[in-house]
Structures are given as structure tokens and as C-alpha cells.
Amino acid sequence: MLTTNLNKAQREVVYDSDGPVMVLAGAGSGKTRTLVSRVTYLLEEKNISPFRILALTFSNKAAREMKERVACEVDLDIGTLQMTTFHSFCARLLRSEIGYLGLSRSFTIYDDSESKTVVKFLLKRRGISPKDLSPYEILYYINDLKNNGFYHGCTGEFPIDEDLHPFFMDYETELHKANALDFGGLLTAVVQLFQCHPEVLDMYQKKFKYVLVDEYQDTNRVQFEIIKMLSEKHRNICVVGDEDQSIYSWRGADIRNILDFESVFPEAKVIKLEQNYRSSKIIIEAASAVIEKNLMRKGKAMWTDNPDGDIIPIIECADEKSEAEFVASEILKLKKSGVENRDVALFYRMNAQSRIIEDMFRKHNIAYRIVGGIKFYERKEIKDILAYLRLIVNDKDSLAFSRIVNVPTRGVGATTLRKLENEAVAKGLSLWEIVSDLVDNQENYANIRLTSRTKSSLVQLVSMMMEVKVMDGEGVRPSQLYEKVLHESGYYEFLSASRNHESISRLENLDEFDNAIKQFEMNRDKPTLLEFLETINLDPSSNESSTDDGKFNTSGEVSLMTAHGAKGLEYDYVFIAGAEENIFPSYRSLEEGEIGVEEERRLFYVAMTRAMKKLYIIFAQGRLLHGQIKFNGPSRYINEIPPKFFKWKKFKYGGDRRNESVFPDYEENSQEVDYGDESIIQIKREKSGYKFPAGSRIIHSLYGEGIVLETEGAGKNEKILIRFKDGIRKKFLTCIAPIVPF
């Protein structure tokens, strides 16, 4: 039978198909299986046409997987079943109906970079410098309006910023003239369409008799408005979510959508999925005790039939290095007991926290992957700043120079860079040497024309780098060199101008990089920049980010991720690192008052409930933050766990901090980049006709050794994408590039 493997509450969700239903699905309560069963019931038992069902979620992956599971359950053609994301649904609807709003069906969807270009144009038209008013501040305001359902001409009451609102009006006008919408505009355009053209709304209300929404706690106000209008006629709306896992307010998610659902649909039935199938009893009861402290919640009493499991160790460490040492030592113990790396995960609040843990893992040959991101030393901002520092100690490093010459923007585009490369190859010089000569003797470079702005920017770059080179030669500490480069290059100002979540994370990573340099300096009498760069043992296999989840991790690696990235995943063994005040909860959330503290508590709850067998919570007595030792104390959320569920332990470091190895019996990681077997490459060369097929090892006369990743075109049009030793990728036309097989 359809509901044989479902519990009583889950069966209730499946069979109560008519009228508004809100399902409060606790962590690990089998909500996806329940949703799939509900859709299957509508299709098979109630004989509802797939054409009349709309199921909305938040990622294409989730929508695809749910549709595949439904397809396996029913003996029907479900090609017309719309199980999709909000944005995809709105885009598809607008392709048919956008004419009502004065646009054509061929409208363009602008991404973030294109939206930024429009805003920069508006600033320029008003004679305002981006340094005086950041484009990101304007875009944040625009996105916030759209998240709340505001569109040009609507009559709702919204907070209007006198300074920024004119930009919103002009921005919308520019998009309309370009026959374009941005991502937020896809949603607000549907609201506008439904509100201004009731006949269109009536048509879609008749079309979709059943509306289902997954991950309802992640919806914003405009998304709620869309589903409310669609379901007003039949009122067959089923939303599935968990207010205790609402952790994306910074993306626009509004927890009020769950808290106020019954005021909008007074006849709604609320069904709670409270049985957890994932975690041990101790983990569930401890997590429940924490989340119960929140006031903004509907309330659930999570329980499980699983065994009690291990008590939760609360590990007190001396500092962040001791914390990393504990995690590494415990993982090695788990491995000896038969636990596989893929069943272990470590969560942290900020991306920057991974750096010292990654260092420790590499030191002891513990394979790891970054889920939903990339490894610390492979992050763009770290690679950028490393390129500056590498150029200080080696001005022959043309790869480093090509990376930073236009970061931040200095007017050196791809064409100019190509001309510089040609000059460097022709004269047997490095890019740095060519540019250093060019700024002083431009008359010697007739084929390279620089604008006055570009020349001025390059003069400043060369001057700054020469000063730092002199300082390095005089024995100035690496941390001081780093500070000078970071600020005088314009890189810090470049990132600070962007007030979005990503840029804040990048700045936090640069702070952590500063910590790495200062920790290096602590253990040396005369630290040098060259020695610091040599200590960074980059893992050559870390060029790609890993995005698959824990359930499908077959690569034998420990998973590292932020607590935000952990949502929806599960692991046998989970470590939560940095459980301290001002970190978890973050200092920004503390500034927001109780609302911020409650969202951080939900995030902590999410992290706790990812663990199936054993949960470790770790904090440091002192931690190096922003160049200073901070004594934050344990997180308030630790104190909210009843004592019967945890055992407090102090981790005592057992070795000399200066020793090369903390734990015995581990081989050093000697992985090298696999450049492929030459006999296989020769076969590829003969069969494909390519001069440099994928996998070929090459030497570029300017950039050195690399490997061909992709090849396209034929003969004189053959183009290759090369990854060089430090991970930088560049594309070349083989007939003119100074490249030879290696």
C-alpha cells in the first residue's frame, strides 16, 4: 500500500488532501518521503491530472529528485507535472503572459553582474562615484523591496528610503526599456500580473487545483503572496516546513510566513511530524532543549525510537590550534575503530574557521573536502593576495602578475594583457619587467596604448610593489608587508565597497589569512615572507569545489562546511567547532538583539540535528580574531543543553608546539598533480587530430608548466584551456601561443 511505511502523522498528511494544510516537519522526520507520497496519492488515488498540481521548492536539484521519486511510484506519464522552483515557475508563466505588462516573451533575465552594471550606469548618469555610494547598497535596497513584493506602481505600504528609492524607480525603467527582468523581478512581475489582471489570476487558479510548497520556512513575502493568490479559489494548499530551521533571513526568508499561516488560512489544519528517524535519543533531546528557548516558533516535541546513543562531549580547548588538534586526533581514533572518513563532518560558523583545521588535516594526511565551497587557500581572495605576495619575492612569476594586474580593476583588459604577454615573450622578460619598463618608457611600446587612468593605476601598482620589495629586503615582518599590500593595492577597499554576504565572508577570510601569518611569525625569531609562502602546502587536488552531500560522499573524505551549508545533510559523526560567544552566535547576530540570537539558535539546532550517532561540540578559551586574542567564553547555546546530556572535557595538548608532527605514525602527504600517461595522450593526439588534446603536459615560455584541461576547434583554430601549477587557468590559441609539449 501507498502508506505502508509511513507513521500516523505522515499518513494524515497524505490523506488530508483538501483544504489548507501546514505540515511542521521536524529535523529528520521524513518530510520528503511524505511529500512524495502525498503527490502520489493525488495522482493515483484521487485521479488528479498532473497538469493540475503545482509543487514548488528552492533548488532545481530538489525539484528534480522529488519528481524522479514520484515517477518511480506511479504508473503514469507525469511530464506535465510542475514540480519546480519558484523562479522557474514564474519565468515559465511570464513567457506566456508577460505581454500584459508591456514586455515581449523574449525578455532577458538579468543576473547579479548585469544588475550591477545597470546600477553603475545610473550612478554615472547622476555624476555619483561608486566610492561615494556603493552599487551594492542600492542593489540590496532593490532586492529587499522585491523580496517584500514591492513593484513599480504597487499600492502597498513599504518603507521608502528617500535617497535610494529614486534609483529603484530608474532601475526598473531601464530594465523595462531593455525588455528585461532580474531574479527578484520574476517574482514581483507575477504578483503585479495577478493583481492588475484578475482574469489571468483566475485562469491559473482554475488550472492549479492543488498547490504544494516544500521548505516553506525559506519563503519570502513575495513568494508567500504568489502561493496565497494561486490557492485562493480552491484553497488546497499544503506547505511543509520547520520554523526551527529558518536560517536564511539574510536571503530574504521570512519566518512570519509560518507563524502567520493560520491567520491567512483560518481553517488550516496543522500537522506535526515529530518523530525523528535520523539521530540518537540523546542528540534529539539535547537539541530540543536548546530550540525550546526560542519564542518565535509554533512548537514541536521531537522524539525518536532510536537508541540513546553516546553522551555529547563538550570539549574545552586552549585555542584554535588546540581545537584543530583535538578534531584531528579524534578523527584518527574514529578511523582506527573502523569509521570511514565519509561518515564524519565538521561544521563551523564562518568560512574563515576552516583554515587552521585544513592545515592540521593536511599535516596528518586526513583527506577532506569542502562542501558547498572551496578550500581555504583556493578561495579567490586568498589566491589573489597570495599572488601579490609571491610577486614580491619573485618578480619573474608572470602567473602571479597576470592574476593581480587588473584586481582591483586598473583598465588592463584581455587585449592589453595579450599584448603585454607577446612583448614579454619576444624580449625574454617577465610581465613584471615589461610593465615596470612600460610605465617609464611608453614610447618604446608603440603597439600598447594605455589610457591616462590605466597608466596612472599601473604606476601606483609598480611603485607600491617596489616599496614592499625594499621593505622585504630590509627584514620587515611578513604581516606588515601583507597589511601594506592589502590596503595600498586597493584590494581591501574593493571588497569593502560590496556590502553583501559574500564580500563580508571574503573579508573574514582575509582576516584569517592575517592570523595565519601572525601565527607563523610567533614560532620564528626572524620570519621572512619567502619562508611563510613555503609553509603553505597547497593541496594540488583542491582546485575544484565539492558540492555533493553527505549521503552520496563516496570519496572517503571528511566533510567540512559552514553550519548554513549543513542544512539537509546527515552524518554519523559531527563536530561543531567554535561554539563561542561572538562566533556562534555571531557578533552580528548579537547586534540584532533577540531576533538575531533566535536565528543563530535555529542554526545551532540545525547543526546539532545533522548528527546521527555522535555529536561533538568544541570551543576555545582564547582565539585569534582580527589580529588579537579574544576570550569569548563558551556559547550560550552550550549552557542551554541539560547537563545529563553532555560531559565537559578539557583537551590537553600532549606535544611540543614546535614539533613537526603532533600525532605519531602518519605519512606526509606527497600527492602530486596527475598529468596523465604520455602513451594515452599520444593515442588521443592521433585519434582527435588535436595538437594538444586534453591531458597534455605543456610548457608555456612565460607561465611555465601546465596541463591541458579542454581542447576545441581544429587546425589554426585549435584553442586550449590550460591549468598551470598554481591553479590559474588560461585559454590560448595554439597556433600563436608560445607553448611546447613537456
Side-chain angles (χ1 to χ4, degrees):
M1 290 180 63
L2 177 66
T3 57
T4 301
N5 296 319
L6 302 182
N7 62 37
K8 181 180 178 182
Q10 291 171 333
R11 289 196 296 272
E12 193 176 358
V13 174
V14 173
Y15 291 129
D16 278 338
S17 56
D18 293 329
V21 176
M22 180 166 66
V23 182
L24 299 177
S29 61
K31 74 172 179 64
T32 302
R33 179 177 57 184
T34 307
L35 257 179
V36 168
S37 297
R38 181 181 174 95
V39 174
T40 302
Y41 171 74
L42 291 174
L43 292 169
E44 286 201 324
E45 303 295 329
K46 295 205 68 173
N47 201 29
I48 303 298
S49 166
F51 187 75
R52 306 205 67 190
I53 299 173
L54 174 63
L56 298 169
T57 187
F58 282 85
S59 74
N60 289 315
K61 180 183 177 185
R64 184 173 59 251
E65 288 178 356
M66 285 182 63
K67 194 167 185 177
E68 288 171 353
R69 289 178 64 170
V70 171
C72 292
E73 295 289 337
V74 301
D75 189 22
L76 295 168
D77 180 0
I78 61 168
T80 57
L81 175 63
Q82 283 209 53
M83 194 167 270
T84 185
T85 66
F86 275 93
H87 287 90
S88 295
F89 166 72
C90 291
R92 184 173 178 178
L93 185 153
L94 292 170
R95 290 295 177 197
S96 298
E97 316 296 346
I98 195 70
Y100 286 93
L101 301 182
L103 299 181
S104 77
R105 294 183 178 184
S106 60
F107 66 85
T108 301
I109 301 173
Y110 277 5
D111 62 17
D112 292 341
S113 64
E114 290 160 333
S115 294
K116 179 184 173 186
T117 299
V118 174
V119 170
K120 290 176 75 173
F121 165 75
L122 295 175
L123 285 169
K124 185 176 181 180
R125 192 167 70 184
R126 289 170 177 256
I128 301 173
S129 169
K131 293 182 179 180
D132 296 327
L133 179 57
S134 168
Y136 293 99
E137 184 176 353
I138 298 171
L139 285 170
Y140 181 87
Y141 174 76
I142 292 171
N143 289 334
D144 189 48
L145 285 179
K146 293 187 177 185
N147 284 340
N148 284 285
F150 189 94
Y151 57 85
H152 190 4
C154 75
T155 57
E157 293 184 7
F158 295 88
I160 302 299
D161 186 300
E162 300 269 341
D163 296 324
L164 298 179
H165 201 71
F167 286 98
F168 167 74
M169 304 295 282
D170 289 350
Y171 173 84
E172 291 294 278
T173 300
E174 290 299 321
L175 262 62
H176 194 85
K177 286 196 301 186
N179 192 41
L181 295 170
D182 59 14
F183 286 117
L186 290 173
L187 305 178
T188 55
V190 170
V191 172
Q192 181 180 5
L193 183 67
F194 286 170
Q195 290 180 344
C196 299
H197 300 277
E199 69 278 16
V200 178
L201 172 60
D202 181 67
M203 178 175 65
Y204 281 94
Q205 286 175 335
K206 290 176 179 176
K207 177 178 179 178
F208 296 116
K209 186 176 180 180
Y210 292 90
V211 177
L212 301 93
V213 183
D214 190 20
E215 301 292 357
Y216 181 62
Q217 76 280 346
D218 294 336
T219 55
N220 57 29
R221 296 306 278 184
V222 67
Q223 288 163 337
F224 172 70
E225 192 64 26
I226 290 170
I227 60 177
K228 183 184 75 170
M229 287 191 287
L230 281 172
S231 56
E232 275 177 344
K233 187 175 292 292
H234 294 291
R235 300 185 77 77
N236 295 328
I237 179 170
C238 175
V239 299
V240 182
D242 183 3
E243 79 279 19
D244 293 335
Q245 296 186 69
S246 179
I247 58 175
Y248 296 122
S249 66
W250 46 276
R251 290 182 186 170
D254 196 328
I255 194 173
R256 293 177 300 168
N257 291 351
I258 280 187
L259 301 179
D260 299 343
F261 185 82
E262 293 161 280
S263 64
V264 178
F265 296 96
E267 76 276 31
K269 184 167 188 177
V270 178
I271 303 172
K272 299 180 181 182
L273 302 185
E274 298 174 305
Q275 182 175 0
N276 178 282
Y277 294 93
R278 175 189 298 150
S279 306
S280 71
K281 191 171 293 184
I282 282 178
I283 291 171
I284 288 302
E285 292 187 7
S288 296
V290 172
I291 200 63
E292 283 172 2
K293 302 296 188 295
N294 271 8
L295 298 177
M296 291 187 294
R297 65 191 299 260
K298 305 292 286 187
K300 295 181 299 299
M302 296 300 296
W303 62 276
T304 183
D305 281 335
N306 292 339
D308 287 350
D310 293 338
I311 202 161
I312 300 170
I314 306 292
I315 308 298
E316 179 181 348
C317 299
D319 53 26
E320 66 272 24
K321 186 169 184 179
S322 176
E323 177 183 65
E325 288 161 354
F326 167 75
V327 174
S329 64
E330 192 65 21
I331 289 174
L332 295 175
K333 288 178 185 176
L334 290 172
K335 190 173 181 180
K336 284 184 177 179
S337 69
V339 175
E340 296 188 38
N341 282 346
R342 67 185 179 189
D343 296 324
V344 181
L346 182 139
F347 306 150
Y348 35 78
R349 180 60 183 83
M350 303 180 296
N351 277 308
Q353 289 173 254
S354 78
R355 193 270 306 173
I356 197 163
I357 293 166
E358 290 184 57
D359 288 348
M360 190 63 67
F361 280 16
R362 284 196 303 273
K363 187 174 184 178
H364 298 290
N365 202 23
I366 297 174
Y368 71 94
R369 64 184 188 138
I370 304 293
V371 177
I374 53 178
K375 299 182 179 181
F376 184 81
Y377 289 112
E378 291 298 323
R379 290 170 181 148
K380 181 184 183 303
E381 60 277 12
I382 303 302
K383 295 287 279 184
D384 286 345
I385 210 68
L386 277 172
Y388 276 102
L389 299 182
R390 282 166 42 201
L391 197 62
I392 293 168
V393 300
N394 176 21
D395 58 24
K396 300 287 187 183
D397 191 340
S398 291
L399 271 176
F401 187 81
S402 70
R403 184 178 188 102
I404 59 93
V405 66
N406 207 40
V407 179
T409 304
R410 298 186 177 93
V412 181
T415 301
T416 303
L417 181 59
R418 194 176 306 115
K419 290 178 180 179
L420 292 172
E421 290 171 342
N422 292 339
E423 287 287 342
V425 171
K427 296 182 178 180
L429 300 174
S430 69
L431 281 176
W432 166 259
E433 291 167 325
I434 288 293
V435 172
S436 297
D437 186 47
L438 172 65
V439 296
D440 291 329
N441 305 292
Q442 189 169 355
E443 66 276 4
N444 296 336
Y445 299 86
N447 65 323
I448 302 177
R449 299 294 181 189
L450 301 179
T451 65
S452 57
R453 174 182 172 274
T454 299
K455 183 177 179 181
S456 174
S457 296
L458 288 177
V459 168
Q460 290 177 17
L461 174 65
V462 170
S463 175
M464 183 271 293
M465 293 297 286
M466 291 298 295
E467 288 178 18
V468 181
K469 280 175 173 289
V470 171
M471 292 168 65
D472 184 44
E474 293 174 347
V476 173
R477 297 175 76 82
S479 57
Q480 294 175 265
L481 303 179
Y482 165 71
E483 284 292 326
K484 183 176 177 68
V485 168
L486 179 63
H487 293 282
E488 294 190 16
S489 67
Y491 196 72
Y492 186 86
E493 183 181 12
F494 163 67
L495 287 182
S496 298
S498 308
R499 302 181 185 180
N500 55 16
H501 181 77
E502 181 182 356
S503 294
I504 290 171
S505 179
R506 292 187 187 281
L507 290 171
E508 289 172 345
N509 289 336
L510 289 173
D511 277 340
E512 181 57 28
F513 185 76
D514 184 40
N515 291 340
I517 298 176
K518 289 174 178 174
Q519 287 173 337
F520 159 80
E521 292 175 343
M522 288 176 187
N523 294 323
R524 285 159 179 82
D525 295 330
K526 295 182 178 180
T528 67
L529 181 58
L530 177 61
E531 190 182 4
F532 169 71
L533 294 174
E534 288 175 349
T535 63
I536 301 175
N537 180 25
L538 291 178
D539 177 2
S541 67
S542 65
N543 293 309
E544 303 295 337
S545 71
S546 178
T547 56
D548 56 327
D549 63 45
K551 292 176 284 187
F552 301 101
N553 175 14
T554 58
S555 54
E557 297 166 319
V558 176
S559 297
L560 274 62
M561 70 196 79
T562 63
H564 280 101
K567 188 171 176 291
L569 307 183
E570 57 186 33
Y571 299 88
D572 285 348
Y573 299 86
V574 166
F575 296 80
I576 301 176
E580 299 145 35
E581 289 291 292
N582 294 309
I583 294 180
F584 208 163
S586 70
Y587 68 91
R588 287 190 182 87
S589 69
L590 296 177
E591 290 175 349
E592 295 171 2
E594 195 57 34
I595 290 177
V597 170
E598 287 211 359
E599 177 152 342
E600 289 286 298
R601 187 179 284 112
R602 293 194 291 269
L603 185 59
F604 198 79
Y605 170 79
V606 166
M608 293 179 73
T609 54
R610 301 309 96 191
M612 293 192 285
K613 292 183 179 178
K614 189 165 185 175
L615 172 67
Y616 301 80
I617 301 175
I618 316 158
F619 75 94
Q621 295 170 347
R623 184 180 298 269
L624 188 62
L625 290 170
H626 314 299
Q628 295 181 325
I629 300 293
K630 301 288 186 181
F631 300 95
N632 293 311
S635 169
R636 66 188 65 194
Y637 307 137
I638 291 178
N639 296 324
E640 293 171 357
I641 301 173
K644 64 180 178 179
F645 296 132
F646 68 81
K647 185 173 183 180
W648 195 292
K649 300 179 181 179
K650 282 192 176 182
F651 175 67
K652 295 182 179 180
Y653 176 72
D656 183 352
R657 280 288 169 91
R658 290 178 177 265
N659 284 353
E660 190 71 22
S661 178
V662 179
F663 311 112
D665 305 323
Y666 287 94
E667 299 177 2
E668 290 298 318
N669 189 347
S670 59
Q671 258 186 314
E672 296 181 357
V673 177
D674 179 9
Y675 285 108
D677 184 272
E678 182 55 36
S679 61
I680 296 175
I681 299 302
Q682 182 59 34
I683 293 171
K684 283 185 178 181
R685 189 174 290 121
E686 293 171 358
K687 285 189 173 182
S688 66
Y690 291 139
K691 185 178 179 181
F692 297 101
S696 301
R697 291 185 296 174
I698 60 88
I699 291 183
H700 188 286
S701 62
L702 189 61
Y703 295 131
E705 187 180 342
I707 183 172
V708 177
L709 299 180
E710 297 174 5
T711 307
E712 61 182 39
K716 292 183 178 181
N717 295 319
E718 180 178 308
K719 292 180 182 178
I720 56 176
L721 177 66
I722 301 173
R723 187 182 75 213
F724 292 97
K725 276 286 191 178
D726 72 343
I728 288 180
R729 301 177 181 209
K730 286 183 172 291
K731 186 172 279 191
F732 298 94
L733 194 63
T734 60
C735 65
I736 60 173
I739 297 168
V740 295
F742 176 61

